[in-house]
Amino acid sequence: MEALNKQKNSRHLSKLVISIFLLFVILILLHLQASPINSSYSPASSGITLISRLHDSVTFLPLKDLRFAETAMEGNTWFMSSLNDTREKNEAEYLYFPSQASKGRLLCIMGRDKADGTKNSYALAWPETLPNSATLLKGLTFVSDTYFDYKNLWHGLCAVAPFVGWSIKNGCMMPDRWVLFHRGELRDRMGLWLHQLMETNFGGDVEVEGFEREGRYCFERAVVMRHNLGSMGKARKLEMFDSLRCKARRFCGLNPAGKGLEVNERGKPIIRLTLLMRRGSRSFKNPTAVIQIFAKECERVEGCILNVSQSEDLRFCDQVRVMTNTDVIATPHGAQLTNMLFMDQNSSVMEFFPRGWFELAGVDKYAHHWMADQSGMRHQGSWWEPLDEKECPFPQHDPDCFNFYKDGQVGHNETFFAEWATSVLNQVRSSKLEQVAKNPITTPGANSDACVC
């Protein structure tokens, strides 16, 4: 009997709990029915609200992440720091939008500050839900950020060259515009030399976007490079430099057929030696003496022809023409050496440095060694003017001391210059004799006018 009573009490308790729960649900439903949100609810209005919220929910982050300000050159990146690059063997690291990695979202940029990259920002958004008042820029946009700049020939080339390699790999795709940043700060132009080089490679005018009005801009398609040549493999670099050389020669009306195999009336190979001079910083202290040394040694090697050119006086196609007709270039360290890319592969480079560079310049003094290797040239070494005793006012601080010597002029050593010139000229002469003997004219090679794109 006691067990039966317990069973009845349990059933009554269960019914009471269920009744309370049902009453609670009814009260909630009544409250929702009276709610103004629910009273205006419809599937259509819900869809509009959701889309509107997605438009408003796009989050813009600073282009320049100051957390990496001190380590931007050590494997980190302060530009679009929340995004990871696509890495492919032999290719430069890059970002592409829209892609699987971006989950189909487009790249958007807001801000055009030229002095503070933290005031410029970026975001990702789906094509159907771009930020409110955003301008969609159609076509393909190349977005570049560099630690250096776009005016210096060498630094500018290192920044834009990965786009050339990417274009070759992707069916020679051409950009509709460029967006340039320097440490997250907007730049609205390239240097003239670089601008013309990109025109010869991609054809037509090179449009650099300056974002003339404030607002948000989204790109239908975008490629982002932020590590310069970075991890691009040597094979791709050679292909990329060959393409730039070929397109520049074609643009400037130069026919490379038989280039490098010319002979004189005695059937001896012609060797074209160019002294590429510069004014101001890192110019020769006594250019007349240097010219006389090289002229004398050139006369001793049959077939040698000396050309002396002033780099600042040469327009773009003049530079392409001079370097196309050069087998050996001798010049002080400087941006003008970037023109070596217009020489035939296996041409020779002789480089001269002022005092202090060997001891104080760090690895940057090897920039044109690297370029020679990447573009298929032979860097025949360097002459470093001896420092002897430091004269800078900051002898205990090498970086400051280097700035004291950085833009100095280059002296000369007649004996060393003469012996070095003779050695390089004889080496080039021997190489050309072998080429002529093999009759490679019938074999297409790096000097063919059949450009990659």
mmCIF file of all heavy atoms in Angstrom, residues 185-211:
data_model
loop_
_atom_site.group_PDB
_atom_site.id
_atom_site.type_symbol
_atom_site.label_atom_id
_atom_site.label_comp_id
_atom_site.label_asym_id
_atom_site.label_seq_id
_atom_site.Cartn_x
_atom_site.Cartn_y
_atom_site.Cartn_z
ATOM 1 N N GLU A 185 52.287 52.714 -46.759
ATOM 2 C CA GLU A 185 51.950 54.079 -47.181
ATOM 3 C C GLU A 185 51.718 54.087 -48.691
ATOM 4 O O GLU A 185 52.509 53.523 -49.440
ATOM 5 C CB GLU A 185 53.090 55.036 -46.821
ATOM 6 C CG GLU A 185 53.435 55.028 -45.338
ATOM 7 C CD GLU A 185 54.822 55.601 -45.062
ATOM 8 O OE1 GLU A 185 55.471 56.064 -46.034
ATOM 9 O OE2 GLU A 185 55.248 55.571 -43.898
ATOM 10 N N LEU A 186 50.648 54.732 -49.132
ATOM 11 C CA LEU A 186 50.294 54.727 -50.548
ATOM 12 C C LEU A 186 51.304 55.519 -51.377
ATOM 13 O O LEU A 186 51.762 56.588 -50.968
ATOM 14 C CB LEU A 186 48.892 55.315 -50.734
ATOM 15 C CG LEU A 186 48.328 55.239 -52.159
ATOM 16 C CD1 LEU A 186 48.081 53.791 -52.556
ATOM 17 C CD2 LEU A 186 47.042 56.053 -52.266
ATOM 18 N N ARG A 187 51.645 54.981 -52.546
ATOM 19 C CA ARG A 187 52.460 55.677 -53.531
ATOM 20 C C ARG A 187 51.671 55.731 -54.838
ATOM 21 O O ARG A 187 51.084 54.736 -55.248
ATOM 22 C CB ARG A 187 53.797 54.969 -53.747
ATOM 23 C CG ARG A 187 54.683 54.941 -52.495
ATOM 24 C CD ARG A 187 55.172 56.334 -52.153
ATOM 25 N NE ARG A 187 56.029 56.366 -50.974
ATOM 26 C CZ ARG A 187 55.612 56.677 -49.758
ATOM 27 N NH1 ARG A 187 54.331 56.954 -49.537
ATOM 28 N NH2 ARG A 187 56.449 56.698 -48.734
ATOM 29 N N ASP A 188 51.664 56.885 -55.488
ATOM 30 C CA ASP A 188 50.834 57.043 -56.675
ATOM 31 C C ASP A 188 51.618 57.014 -57.978
ATOM 32 O O ASP A 188 51.072 57.308 -59.041
ATOM 33 C CB ASP A 188 50.008 58.339 -56.601
ATOM 34 C CG ASP A 188 50.887 59.578 -56.435
ATOM 35 O OD1 ASP A 188 52.125 59.447 -56.527
ATOM 36 O OD2 ASP A 188 50.324 60.667 -56.210
ATOM 37 N N ARG A 189 52.908 56.646 -57.917
ATOM 38 C CA ARG A 189 53.678 56.537 -59.158
ATOM 39 C C ARG A 189 54.906 55.664 -58.955
ATOM 40 O O ARG A 189 55.405 55.490 -57.833
ATOM 41 C CB ARG A 189 54.102 57.908 -59.673
ATOM 42 C CG ARG A 189 54.991 58.695 -58.729
ATOM 43 C CD ARG A 189 55.443 60.007 -59.368
ATOM 44 N NE ARG A 189 54.312 60.803 -59.784
ATOM 45 C CZ ARG A 189 53.689 61.678 -59.000
ATOM 46 N NH1 ARG A 189 54.099 61.837 -57.751
ATOM 47 N NH2 ARG A 189 52.671 62.385 -59.445
ATOM 48 N N MET A 190 55.384 55.097 -60.066
ATOM 49 C CA MET A 190 56.664 54.414 -60.106
ATOM 50 C C MET A 190 57.704 55.397 -60.633
ATOM 51 O O MET A 190 57.351 56.420 -61.226
ATOM 52 C CB MET A 190 56.614 53.219 -61.070
ATOM 53 C CG MET A 190 55.609 52.148 -60.768
ATOM 54 S SD MET A 190 55.657 50.879 -62.081
ATOM 55 C CE MET A 190 54.366 49.773 -61.486
ATOM 56 N N GLY A 191 58.970 55.061 -60.451
ATOM 57 C CA GLY A 191 60.012 55.817 -61.122
ATOM 58 C C GLY A 191 59.867 55.648 -62.628
ATOM 59 O O GLY A 191 59.313 54.648 -63.109
ATOM 60 N N LEU A 192 60.354 56.612 -63.400
ATOM 61 C CA LEU A 192 60.163 56.601 -64.845
ATOM 62 C C LEU A 192 60.727 55.347 -65.488
ATOM 63 O O LEU A 192 60.078 54.727 -66.336
ATOM 64 C CB LEU A 192 60.813 57.850 -65.458
ATOM 65 C CG LEU A 192 60.707 57.990 -66.981
ATOM 66 C CD1 LEU A 192 59.250 58.034 -67.417
ATOM 67 C CD2 LEU A 192 61.456 59.236 -67.459
ATOM 68 N N TRP A 193 61.944 54.952 -65.103
ATOM 69 C CA TRP A 193 62.566 53.755 -65.684
ATOM 70 C C TRP A 193 61.719 52.531 -65.433
ATOM 71 O O TRP A 193 61.450 51.731 -66.344
ATOM 72 C CB TRP A 193 63.964 53.570 -65.093
ATOM 73 C CG TRP A 193 64.743 52.407 -65.628
ATOM 74 C CD1 TRP A 193 65.602 52.410 -66.692
ATOM 75 C CD2 TRP A 193 64.758 51.065 -65.115
ATOM 76 N NE1 TRP A 193 66.147 51.158 -66.877
ATOM 77 C CE2 TRP A 193 65.646 50.318 -65.925
ATOM 78 C CE3 TRP A 193 64.107 50.422 -64.056
ATOM 79 C CZ2 TRP A 193 65.900 48.956 -65.712
ATOM 80 C CZ3 TRP A 193 64.350 49.065 -63.843
ATOM 81 C CH2 TRP A 193 65.246 48.349 -64.656
ATOM 82 N N LEU A 194 61.251 52.368 -64.194
ATOM 83 C CA LEU A 194 60.443 51.205 -63.833
ATOM 84 C C LEU A 194 59.100 51.233 -64.551
ATOM 85 O O LEU A 194 58.612 50.199 -65.032
ATOM 86 C CB LEU A 194 60.234 51.174 -62.316
ATOM 87 C CG LEU A 194 59.579 49.920 -61.745
ATOM 88 C CD1 LEU A 194 60.464 48.705 -61.978
ATOM 89 C CD2 LEU A 194 59.289 50.083 -60.260
ATOM 90 N N HIS A 195 58.501 52.415 -64.632
ATOM 91 C CA HIS A 195 57.217 52.566 -65.319
ATOM 92 C C HIS A 195 57.346 52.137 -66.783
ATOM 93 O O HIS A 195 56.496 51.396 -67.315
ATOM 94 C CB HIS A 195 56.768 54.027 -65.224
ATOM 95 C CG HIS A 195 55.359 54.266 -65.664
ATOM 96 N ND1 HIS A 195 55.017 54.429 -66.983
ATOM 97 C CD2 HIS A 195 54.193 54.365 -64.957
ATOM 98 C CE1 HIS A 195 53.718 54.632 -67.088
ATOM 99 N NE2 HIS A 195 53.189 54.595 -65.875
ATOM 100 N N GLN A 196 58.421 52.574 -67.438
ATOM 101 C CA GLN A 196 58.603 52.214 -68.842
ATOM 102 C C GLN A 196 58.909 50.726 -69.010
ATOM 103 O O GLN A 196 58.482 50.103 -69.979
ATOM 104 C CB GLN A 196 59.718 53.070 -69.443
ATOM 105 C CG GLN A 196 59.320 54.538 -69.559
ATOM 106 C CD GLN A 196 60.425 55.401 -70.122
ATOM 107 O OE1 GLN A 196 61.585 55.280 -69.731
ATOM 108 N NE2 GLN A 196 60.077 56.293 -71.040
ATOM 109 N N LEU A 197 59.644 50.152 -68.066
ATOM 110 C CA LEU A 197 59.930 48.722 -68.132
ATOM 111 C C LEU A 197 58.646 47.909 -68.033
ATOM 112 O O LEU A 197 58.449 46.930 -68.763
ATOM 113 C CB LEU A 197 60.893 48.324 -67.008
ATOM 114 C CG LEU A 197 61.321 46.853 -66.989
ATOM 115 C CD1 LEU A 197 62.145 46.514 -68.231
ATOM 116 C CD2 LEU A 197 62.114 46.531 -65.728
ATOM 117 N N MET A 198 57.735 48.303 -67.152
ATOM 118 C CA MET A 198 56.463 47.596 -67.014
ATOM 119 C C MET A 198 55.579 47.823 -68.232
ATOM 120 O O MET A 198 54.825 46.928 -68.637
ATOM 121 C CB MET A 198 55.745 48.042 -65.737
ATOM 122 C CG MET A 198 56.426 47.594 -64.455
ATOM 123 S SD MET A 198 56.582 45.771 -64.294
ATOM 124 C CE MET A 198 58.271 45.488 -64.887
ATOM 125 N N GLU A 199 55.666 48.993 -68.852
ATOM 126 C CA GLU A 199 54.922 49.230 -70.087
ATOM 127 C C GLU A 199 55.410 48.306 -71.196
ATOM 128 O O GLU A 199 54.603 47.737 -71.940
ATOM 129 C CB GLU A 199 55.074 50.686 -70.530
ATOM 130 C CG GLU A 199 54.204 51.664 -69.782
ATOM 131 C CD GLU A 199 54.274 53.063 -70.372
ATOM 132 O OE1 GLU A 199 55.231 53.354 -71.118
ATOM 133 O OE2 GLU A 199 53.362 53.850 -70.093
ATOM 134 N N THR A 200 56.722 48.155 -71.314
ATOM 135 C CA THR A 200 57.246 47.274 -72.364
ATOM 136 C C THR A 200 56.849 45.828 -72.113
ATOM 137 O O THR A 200 56.630 45.067 -73.056
ATOM 138 C CB THR A 200 58.783 47.353 -72.443
ATOM 139 O OG1 THR A 200 59.368 46.825 -71.257
ATOM 140 C CG2 THR A 200 59.245 48.783 -72.630
ATOM 141 N N ASN A 201 56.750 45.437 -70.841
ATOM 142 C CA ASN A 201 56.448 44.041 -70.534
ATOM 143 C C ASN A 201 54.963 43.727 -70.656
ATOM 144 O O ASN A 201 54.577 42.699 -71.217
ATOM 145 C CB ASN A 201 56.938 43.689 -69.130
ATOM 146 C CG ASN A 201 56.777 42.203 -68.835
ATOM 147 O OD1 ASN A 201 57.548 41.385 -69.318
ATOM 148 N ND2 ASN A 201 55.769 41.848 -68.051
ATOM 149 N N PHE A 202 54.105 44.611 -70.128
ATOM 150 C CA PHE A 202 52.678 44.313 -70.107
ATOM 151 C C PHE A 202 51.901 44.997 -71.227
ATOM 152 O O PHE A 202 50.733 44.695 -71.444
ATOM 153 C CB PHE A 202 52.073 44.703 -68.750
ATOM 154 C CG PHE A 202 52.537 43.823 -67.624
ATOM 155 C CD1 PHE A 202 53.402 44.297 -66.653
ATOM 156 C CD2 PHE A 202 52.117 42.503 -67.538
ATOM 157 C CE1 PHE A 202 53.833 43.491 -65.614
ATOM 158 C CE2 PHE A 202 52.541 41.680 -66.507
ATOM 159 C CZ PHE A 202 53.398 42.175 -65.542
ATOM 160 N N GLY A 203 52.537 45.919 -71.922
ATOM 161 C CA GLY A 203 51.872 46.582 -73.030
ATOM 162 C C GLY A 203 50.936 47.679 -72.567
ATOM 163 O O GLY A 203 50.290 47.569 -71.529
ATOM 164 N N GLY A 204 50.851 48.755 -73.356
ATOM 165 C CA GLY A 204 49.952 49.848 -73.017
ATOM 166 C C GLY A 204 50.434 50.644 -71.825
ATOM 167 O O GLY A 204 51.538 50.458 -71.306
ATOM 168 N N ASP A 205 49.569 51.551 -71.378
ATOM 169 C CA ASP A 205 49.924 52.420 -70.268
ATOM 170 C C ASP A 205 49.817 51.667 -68.952
ATOM 171 O O ASP A 205 48.983 50.770 -68.792
ATOM 172 C CB ASP A 205 48.996 53.642 -70.240
ATOM 173 C CG ASP A 205 49.467 54.677 -69.247
ATOM 174 O OD1 ASP A 205 50.684 54.786 -69.031
ATOM 175 O OD2 ASP A 205 48.606 55.368 -68.669
ATOM 176 N N VAL A 206 50.682 52.000 -68.020
ATOM 177 C CA VAL A 206 50.644 51.413 -66.677
ATOM 178 C C VAL A 206 49.881 52.365 -65.772
ATOM 179 O O VAL A 206 50.343 53.475 -65.488
ATOM 180 C CB VAL A 206 52.066 51.173 -66.138
ATOM 181 C CG1 VAL A 206 52.017 50.765 -64.673
ATOM 182 C CG2 VAL A 206 52.772 50.104 -66.968
ATOM 183 N N GLU A 207 48.695 51.953 -65.338
ATOM 184 C CA GLU A 207 47.863 52.796 -64.474
ATOM 185 C C GLU A 207 48.170 52.510 -63.014
ATOM 186 O O GLU A 207 47.980 51.392 -62.533
ATOM 187 C CB GLU A 207 46.379 52.543 -64.743
ATOM 188 C CG GLU A 207 45.454 53.349 -63.853
ATOM 189 C CD GLU A 207 43.987 52.977 -64.011
ATOM 190 O OE1 GLU A 207 43.636 52.380 -65.032
ATOM 191 O OE2 GLU A 207 43.204 53.270 -63.074
ATOM 192 N N VAL A 208 48.651 53.517 -62.312
ATOM 193 C CA VAL A 208 48.900 53.390 -60.875
ATOM 194 C C VAL A 208 47.749 54.076 -60.146
ATOM 195 O O VAL A 208 47.549 55.288 -60.295
ATOM 196 C CB VAL A 208 50.252 54.008 -60.474
ATOM 197 C CG1 VAL A 208 50.466 53.899 -58.968
ATOM 198 C CG2 VAL A 208 51.393 53.317 -61.235
ATOM 199 N N GLU A 209 46.992 53.321 -59.382
ATOM 200 C CA GLU A 209 45.796 53.835 -58.707
ATOM 201 C C GLU A 209 46.189 54.728 -57.535
ATOM 202 O O GLU A 209 46.953 54.323 -56.659
ATOM 203 C CB GLU A 209 44.945 52.665 -58.207
ATOM 204 C CG GLU A 209 43.673 53.059 -57.506
ATOM 205 C CD GLU A 209 42.722 53.819 -58.406
ATOM 206 O OE1 GLU A 209 42.318 53.270 -59.441
ATOM 207 O OE2 GLU A 209 42.411 54.979 -58.071
ATOM 208 N N GLY A 210 45.645 55.939 -57.528
ATOM 209 C CA GLY A 210 45.953 56.883 -56.454
ATOM 210 C C GLY A 210 44.807 57.114 -55.498
ATOM 211 O O GLY A 210 44.939 57.882 -54.541
ATOM 212 N N PHE A 211 43.645 56.430 -55.714
ATOM 213 C CA PHE A 211 42.470 56.617 -54.861
ATOM 214 C C PHE A 211 42.197 58.108 -54.667
ATOM 215 O O PHE A 211 42.367 58.663 -53.580
ATOM 216 C CB PHE A 211 42.652 55.943 -53.496
ATOM 217 C CG PHE A 211 42.897 54.453 -53.581
ATOM 218 C CD1 PHE A 211 43.899 53.859 -52.834
ATOM 219 C CD2 PHE A 211 42.122 53.664 -54.397
ATOM 220 C CE1 PHE A 211 44.135 52.497 -52.898
ATOM 221 C CE2 PHE A 211 42.352 52.283 -54.471
ATOM 222 C CZ PHE A 211 43.358 51.701 -53.722
#
